[in-house]
């Protein structure tokens, strides 16, 4: 594969980004809930070319026991990138970055969970990045909160997340890999839409106070949009089909009952 070349600009003369998006436009997002048979809850997210699967187990007994918390469940998050998820093969051993992102994700999700309802237990979240093209920590939070809901872990609300960044002096929402690498900075954030509380706010690069406040406003708007997509994905997984007039359910019932009556009469 030929080495990646730094683009001459990230925002063109028309004000559009290298993939043609407007500054406030998200990449296409697809969620699916309940994708893994063995997990108590699971979900995947495809956000542009970023592809992540999250699996939840628990609440269940915690091993090793010395990690036990007497007043609440321990939320154990393991974020890992597959060796083939990035252009330069990633070493399989857990990196410092993966450990840090695991902690960041746990801290972003904890405020939305009723962990105090399950003292001494553990809720495990395993997150596997299959393909990374920027924004993996936020996409992972989006998928993990859906997997938690799928597992039936009691939650105040889902936790949508997105990064807002700066490229060629323009604030942009939902950075792709090149924007992440060559832009002037990014602000990953996550919110609880129910209360508008921010559960993740990081900053890389330099922003003026005004830029940071505007970036946060853009991020909150984007998170609210992602929240709608998350709810749609849950509805698709759980909504049962309402019987329509075309369904022959009633006719079958009548036939079955009719036969039962005839049998009854013969007896
Ligand atoms: N990345 C990479 N190799 C690595 C780690 C990261 O190529 O070992 C890329 C990947 O595309 C990732 C991006 O760098 O999405 C930005 O990583 P960062 O740590 O900023 O986290 P993210 O933006 O994914 O949350």
């Amino acid at each position: 594969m030929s080495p990646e070349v730094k683009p001459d600009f990230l925002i063109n003369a028309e004000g559009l980004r290298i993939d043609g998006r407007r500054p406030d436009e998200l990449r296409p997002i697809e969620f699916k809930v309940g994708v893994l048979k063995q997990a108590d809850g699971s979900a995947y997210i495809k956000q542009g070319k970023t592809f992540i699967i999250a699996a939840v187990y628990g609440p269940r007994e915690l091993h090793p026991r010395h990690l036990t918390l007497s007043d609440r469940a321990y939320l154990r998050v393991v974020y890992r990138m597959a060796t083939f998820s990035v252009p330069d093969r990633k070493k399989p051993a857990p990196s410092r970055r993966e450990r840090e992102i695991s902690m960041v994700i746990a801290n972003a999700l904890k405020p939305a969970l009723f962990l105090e309802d399950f003292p001494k237990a553990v809720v495990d979240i395993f997150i596997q990045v299959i393909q990374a093209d920027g924004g993996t920590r936020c996409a992972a939070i989006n998928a993990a909160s859906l997997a938690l809901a799928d597992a039936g872990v009691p939650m105040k609300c889902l936790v949508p997340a997105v990064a807002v960044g700066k490229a060629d002096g323009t604030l942009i929402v939902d950075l792709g890999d090149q924007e992440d690498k060559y832009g002037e900075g990014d602000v990953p954030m996550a919110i609880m839409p129910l209360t508008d509380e921010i559960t993740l706010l990081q900053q890389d690069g330099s922003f003026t106070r005004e830029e940071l406040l505007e970036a946060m406003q853009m991020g909150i708007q984007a998170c609210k949009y992602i929240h709608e997509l998350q709810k749609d994905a849950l509805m698709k997984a759980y909504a049962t089909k309402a019987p329509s007039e075309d369904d022959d359910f009633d006719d079958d019932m009548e036939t079955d009952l009719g036969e039962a009556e005839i049998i009854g009469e013969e007896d």
Side-chain angles (χ1 to χ4, degrees), residues 10-52:
L10 294 171
I11 304 285
N12 69 16
E14 282 85 48
L16 299 177
R17 297 155 69 174
I18 39 179
D19 57 4
R21 280 187 288 155
R22 295 185 311 276
D24 62 351
E25 194 176 337
L26 291 145
R27 293 174 286 182
I29 298 178
E30 182 191 328
F31 288 115
K32 190 155 187 194
V33 175
V35 290
L36 300 175
K37 199 172 119 196
Q38 282 83 3
D40 293 327
S42 60
Y44 75 57
I45 178 169
K46 288 180 186 170
Q47 188 159 357
K49 292 182 188 136
T50 290
F51 181 21
I52 297 175

Side-chain angles (χ1 to χ4, degrees), residues 81 86 97 132-137 177 180:
M81 292 177 101
V86 281
R97 173 182 171 274
D133 192 46
T136 61
R137 79 192 62 205
D177 190 42
D180 195 276

